[in-house]
Amino acid sequence: MTRIRELSFSRLDVPLIEPFGIATGAQVVAHNVLVHVRFDDGTEGLGEAAPFPAVNGETQESVLAVLPEAARALTGRAATRFRPLALAAREAVGAVKSALCAVETALLDAFCRRAGLSLWEFFGGSEAELETDITIPTGDVERAHTAALRARDAGFGTLKVKVGGTDPEMDLARLRAIGSAAPNAKLILDANASLSADEAVRLLDALDELRARVVLFEQPTAAEDIEGLRTVLERGRVAVAADESARSAADVTALARAGAGNVVNVKIMKTGVLEAWDMVAAARAAGLGLMIGGMVETELAMTTSASLAAGVGGFRFVDLDTPLFLGERPLVGGFARTGARLSLGEAGPGHGVRASAHSGKPATVQG
Ligand SMILES: [Mg+2]
C-alpha cells in the first residue's frame, strides 16, 4: 500500500505588479505558502495557500503555524484514500482554511499524477476552456481608466470592479471612467461586504445607462447581512453573488432558503477543495448560479480552481485573474492563457504546475 512519506512546506512570497486593493485593505506582496507532499513510491504533489488578511484574517504565519500538525496527522497514512486524508487535514488545521486548501491540493495533485490524470479530468473534464474576467482593484480614477484600457486591449470582455470602502462619488467616477475606456465590457461589482443594502442600491441607481452593463453585484453587504443580500437582489434588479457570506455547503443551502442572492462564489481558498466541491453540488441542487474565484494566487491554486470549474462545468462567472498581477513567475505550467481564455485540455498530470527552474529550490521548513 502506498503511504504518505512526507509533507513539507515553505514560504511563497510573490511581489505584485501593483497593489491589489479591495474595500477592506490591499496586498502588495502575496505572502503565500507552498505545500509539498511525497508518497513512499516517489510521487510528488504541490499545493498553495493564499491567505488574504483583509478578507478573513488568515496570514502566512497562521498557515505556517498549523501545517506541522497536518504533517503529523497525515504522514504514514494510506496515500490514495483522499477523503479520509482530507478529513484528517481539516481537523488538523482548524479554522485556517487556506492551509487546508494547500494540503488537499497537494494530495490531489500527487493522487492524479500517480493515476496519470489531470485534475481537470479528475473533476469531470466537462469544458476545455473558461473565460475569466479581470479585476480593476481600488485606486484613483486615472488608475481605473488605465487598467480598463489595458484590459480592453488584452481582450477581456468582463471587468470586475472593486467598490466600497470609499466615497460613493469616487466609485461612480471610477465606474464611469472604466465604462468609457471599455465600452463593450460587461461589469461585475464587488464590494467585499463593505456596503449597506441601501448604499448598494443607490450606487446601482446612480449608474444610469451603465447599469445595464452590470451583470453581477458580488457581496454588496456584510457577511452576516443575509437580509441585505436579499434586498439588493430584489431592489437592485441585478444578479447578486454571495462570497464572504458563503463559506460552506451549509451556508449555500441557508442562503438559497433565504433568497439571499442567486449566485455563489466558490473559492477553494476559503473552504478547502472538498468543501468547495460540496458547495457546487449544494448550489446546483438549490438552483443557484456558480462563480469560481480566488484570493491573490499563483497559477497553482488558480489552475486547481479552473480544473474544478471546467471539470464540473456550468459556471456562469469566472474570476481567475490574479496570476496577471504577479511580478514574478516562481511557478510554471498549469492552464494555458490567451487573453481572457484559460485552456485546461493540455494541463496536467495533476494541475501541471511546478517550481520554475529560475526560482531555485525554496528553503523547506520540515513538517
Ligand atoms: Mg468577492
Side-chain angles (χ1 to χ4, degrees), residues 160 162 190-192 218-219 243-244 265 267 291 294 319:
K160 168 162 155 167
K162 293 293 190 180
D190 185 3
N192 286 103
E218 210 186 315
Q219 196 70 44
D243 181 1
E244 282 85 345
N265 191 344
K267 293 176 176 171
M291 176 173 194
D319 178 28

